Amino acid sequence: MVAVIMAGGKGTRIQEINSEIPKPMISVLGKPILQYQIEALARQGVKDFVLVIGHLGHVIKNYFADGKNFGIRIKYIEESEPLGTAGALYLLKEEISDDFLLLCGDLIFDIDIKKFYAAHKKYGGKVTLFTHPNSHPYDSGIIVADENGKVTDWLHKEDKRLWYRNRVNAGLHFMSHRILDSFTELRKLDLDRDVLKLLIPKGEMYVYDSPEYVKDMGTPERYYSVIEDIQSGKVSAKNLTNKQKAIFLDRDGTINEYVGFLRNINDFKLLDGVAEAIKRVNESGYLAIVVSNQPVIARGEVSFSELREIHNKMETLLGTEGAYLDGIYYCPHHPDKGYAGERPEYKIDCNCRKPKSGMLLRAAECFNIDLTKSYMIGDSENDILCGRNAGCKTAFIGDNLNADVCGKDLLDCIKKIFG
């Protein structure tokens, strides 16, 4: 596997940190950002790197040389003039004949690269984007994908949008070498707009959703935030090769106002303090995962697309307040029959409907979660039983002698859990 790092940026937004060196060489706790990237990949077996350099590129070459001192091999592609975020890929056509990883040179990350690559091979597309939720989706490009992970739209921050899933391109891409066939001349190109978006109508691009740590260092605020996260151990801990901890959240009555069976998106309203509570979960390093019974699907009262739009509204409202969810799981089943318009195929006694623990077990498998160090929070006895059935600790909104923690609302429970 070859990793191609676009390391030619000037870093105009972060010049107050250091304007005398290229952005990938800005020091973070004593070593360059670029070194963090190389070490994170080399630990998992990536040994061949191509560094695309430009502005003050000699600084990078002098530091890393051929890579031998870092246990890797490095080739350089040097831009004689700025080629944007993708123009230099034309020069890779003679260098690469297999899949490769393409990333920006200003990212701090620690991810399970093998799991990401396995998803790319499974999809078989030209590009797989590493996507994740973030705390500012309102000023980020949003990636829209279908239930099979195929990208169907790319909404830039200036594009009109109402309710959307908080899914953002993190700047890591697995690419088939076939993508290089689209580069026919050496010219300035924007990776997102001139290359990736053109793959959408052809159905050749997919998403890999992950809660792992990836953050760009484009601004001083993010720079200092990353330093804190490295020092606290949060960056390495979020790698999915490590056991994760999660806060599982019921939806109705816990996150949004309880209105009985929620059928109309206009009835979805966040409860007071919920965004702050989930933001605290995000900052703690725990995963924030919704698990919800939705019998309205089996009863024929809400379609899957309508439910997705309700959840998009939930993610949008949380995102405007700097909070995000790492996953949403729901049970569409309901065992009782006799409703007009019901869907017979979902009228079953399943393993996922709370108080059974199927949704938590699925999440644990996907995200490598240690359930014994996780919490289930809800406002019903079924939520508490579900958490206990999965081996989790539990928190109840209200009074419940069977719960490990009780609070007047979600924020109160989170404060008590984190002490």
Side-chain angles (χ1 to χ4, degrees):
M1 185 190 301
V2 176
V4 179
I5 303 179
M6 306 301 287
K10 291 184 178 181
T12 54
R13 294 181 299 164
I14 200 172
Q15 281 186 340
E16 70 178 64
I17 302 299
N18 195 325
S19 61
E20 303 300 321
I21 57 176
K23 182 166 59 172
M25 292 300 290
I26 291 175
S27 179
V28 178
L29 298 175
K31 62 184 177 183
I33 299 169
L34 189 52
Q35 187 173 341
Y36 277 96
Q37 297 183 331
I38 288 172
E39 290 175 349
L41 295 172
R43 282 196 299 270
Q44 300 185 71
V46 180
K47 300 299 181 183
D48 290 289
F49 291 79
V50 175
L51 304 186
V52 179
I53 59 176
H55 176 67
L56 299 176
H58 66 278
V59 177
I60 295 175
K61 292 181 76 171
N62 291 342
Y63 188 90
F64 290 100
D66 62 1
K68 183 177 180 180
N69 291 339
F70 298 88
I72 60 171
R73 294 173 289 273
I74 297 178
K75 292 183 178 180
Y76 294 91
I77 290 179
E78 190 162 3
E79 298 179 345
S80 56
E81 59 183 51
L83 294 172
T85 53
L89 295 183
Y90 173 82
L91 301 172
L92 292 176
K93 299 181 75 166
E94 302 300 321
E95 298 284 344
I96 292 179
S97 59
D98 205 345
D99 295 341
F100 63 98
L101 177 69
L102 177 69
L103 60 145
C104 307
D106 63 349
L107 300 176
I108 288 291
F109 62 89
D110 197 337
I111 69 170
D112 184 346
I113 198 71
K114 294 178 181 177
K115 189 172 183 180
F116 180 21
Y117 185 53
H120 172 67
K121 296 302 288 184
K122 176 183 176 182
Y123 288 138
K126 285 188 176 179
V127 174
T128 304
L129 307 176
F130 185 103
T131 51
H132 63 170
N134 73 14
S135 60
H136 51 97
Y138 46 83
D139 68 357
S140 302
I142 296 296
I143 309 299
V144 183
D146 65 18
E147 62 274 11
N148 297 314
K150 184 180 294 183
V151 177
T152 58
D153 205 352
W154 188 315
L155 304 175
H156 293 281
K157 59 184 179 182
E158 67 270 19
D159 294 332
K160 183 179 179 180
R161 55 196 187 189
L162 180 58
W163 311 125
Y164 51 84
R165 178 172 176 178
N166 187 341
R167 178 193 274 132
V168 176
N169 180 21
L172 293 159
H173 323 74
F174 260 118
M175 296 187 164
S176 164
H177 69 281
R178 293 179 288 126
I179 191 70
L180 299 176
D181 294 337
S182 62
F183 294 86
T184 57
E185 60 178 313
L186 186 63
R187 62 189 179 95
K188 188 174 183 178
L189 291 171
D190 180 85
L191 178 63
D192 294 350
R193 298 174 188 269
D194 298 330
V195 180
L196 298 181
K197 287 190 74 172
L198 301 183
L199 300 175
I200 296 175
K202 302 174 183 178
E204 295 176 330
M205 184 163 62
Y206 293 82
V207 295
Y208 171 73
D209 295 320
S210 175
E212 293 169 294
Y213 192 101
V214 183
K215 184 173 287 190
D216 75 79
M217 307 280 287
T219 66
E221 180 185 16
R222 293 177 196 169
Y223 172 82
Y224 293 115
S225 173
V226 164
I227 288 176
E228 292 180 5
D229 292 340
I230 292 173
Q231 290 176 320
S232 70
K234 182 178 179 180
V235 176
S236 58
K238 296 286 280 184
N239 187 307
L240 289 182
T241 59
N242 301 315
K243 282 291 184 181
Q244 305 297 304
K245 296 180 290 185
I247 301 292
F248 294 102
L249 303 162
D250 174 50
R251 197 191 78 179
D252 302 320
T254 300
I255 291 177
N256 56 286
E257 295 178 4
Y258 182 76
V259 295
F261 290 124
L262 196 155
R263 305 176 180 90
N264 190 319
I265 192 171
N266 295 323
D267 293 331
F268 185 96
K269 296 179 177 63
L270 290 181
L271 289 164
D272 290 342
V274 162
E276 182 183 346
I278 294 176
K279 188 174 181 179
R280 291 190 181 210
V281 176
N282 301 149
E283 293 169 348
S284 73
Y286 279 70
L287 302 177
I289 299 175
V290 168
V291 287
S292 176
N293 288 346
Q294 290 299 315
V296 289
I297 295 291
R299 290 161 58 110
E301 297 167 340
V302 173
S303 67
F304 283 102
S305 61
E306 289 170 332
L307 182 59
R308 280 194 295 271
E309 194 69 0
I310 289 170
H311 287 160
N312 287 346
K313 181 178 181 179
M314 174 170 62
E315 292 206 60
T316 304
L317 294 177
L318 289 171
T320 60
E321 298 188 55
Y324 58 86
L325 300 169
D326 294 293
I328 299 174
Y329 293 81
Y330 62 87
C331 169
H333 307 113
H334 191 260
D336 299 334
K337 301 179 180 179
Y339 298 89
E342 67 184 17
R343 296 182 173 96
E345 65 271 29
Y346 296 106
K347 287 292 181 176
I348 62 172
D349 184 14
C350 63
N351 293 319
C352 52
R353 180 174 169 82
K354 293 182 289 185
K356 294 180 181 178
S357 57
M359 287 186 284
L360 278 65
L361 297 177
R362 280 170 50 208
E365 181 178 3
C366 181
F367 297 131
N368 193 21
I369 296 170
D370 185 343
L371 292 170
T372 65
K373 295 181 179 179
S374 302
Y375 279 84
M376 173 71 215
I377 304 178
D379 65 332
S380 75
E381 186 67 26
N382 277 347
D383 295 320
I384 302 305
L385 291 173
C386 174
R388 289 190 176 278
N389 288 337
C392 295
K393 299 175 184 177
T394 59
F396 188 78
I397 297 174
D399 295 317
N400 189 309
L401 295 177
N402 295 319
D404 296 288
V405 174
C406 291
K408 62 182 181 180
D409 54 24
L410 179 58
L411 180 57
D412 193 29
C413 288
I414 291 299
K415 287 179 177 178
K416 290 179 178 179
I417 289 172
F418 294 145

